[in-house]
Amino acid sequence: MKAIIRTTRFTADPAATEKVLAARAALIAALRAKISGPSEAKLIRVDERTWVDIWRWDSPADLEAAAELAPTLPEARAAFAVANDPTAESGELVDER
């Protein structure tokens, strides 16, 4: 199985920084309590409004399970309530050094 990286870029009101961090942490915990992953999650703040969230999934099946589960989770709804204009893309991890 090959790892999959999912990157989500979004903006948020700078005054909502604590809400962004808390909602993201709750979502990750909720996913990990129910399925395998994400195995890693890293959050980058590009500027005061722009964020990039990078999640590693150990297999395409793990990401697929998360995609099916997330819409049913109140933690996902809360996380996306503070994230504006999210765009996401996924790809196979081909090199890691």
Side-chain angles (χ1 to χ4, degrees), residues 5-52:
I5 303 297
R6 177 142 178 118
T7 303
T8 303
R9 177 181 286 268
F10 63 94
T11 61
D13 182 338
T17 296
E18 292 305 317
K19 288 181 183 177
V20 168
L21 297 174
R24 178 181 179 272
L27 175 55
I28 292 168
L31 286 169
R32 288 178 174 161
K34 296 189 180 283
I35 60 172
S36 178
S39 57
E40 290 182 61
K42 300 184 186 301
L43 184 62
I44 300 164
R45 190 171 191 172
V46 177
D47 58 38
E48 73 174 22
R49 299 189 68 79
T50 308
W51 302 78
V52 177

Side-chain angles (χ1 to χ4, degrees), residues 36-89:
S36 178
S39 57
E40 290 182 61
K42 300 184 186 301
L43 184 62
I44 300 164
R45 190 171 191 172
V46 177
D47 58 38
E48 73 174 22
R49 299 189 68 79
T50 308
W51 302 78
V52 177
D53 206 357
I54 303 167
W55 293 17
R56 178 187 179 127
W57 299 91
D58 291 333
S59 72
D62 290 344
L63 174 56
E64 186 176 310
E68 290 176 13
L69 176 63
T72 70
L73 297 175
E75 294 88 352
R77 288 187 291 280
F80 282 97
V82 294
N84 302 311
D85 305 316
T87 59
E89 58 186 7

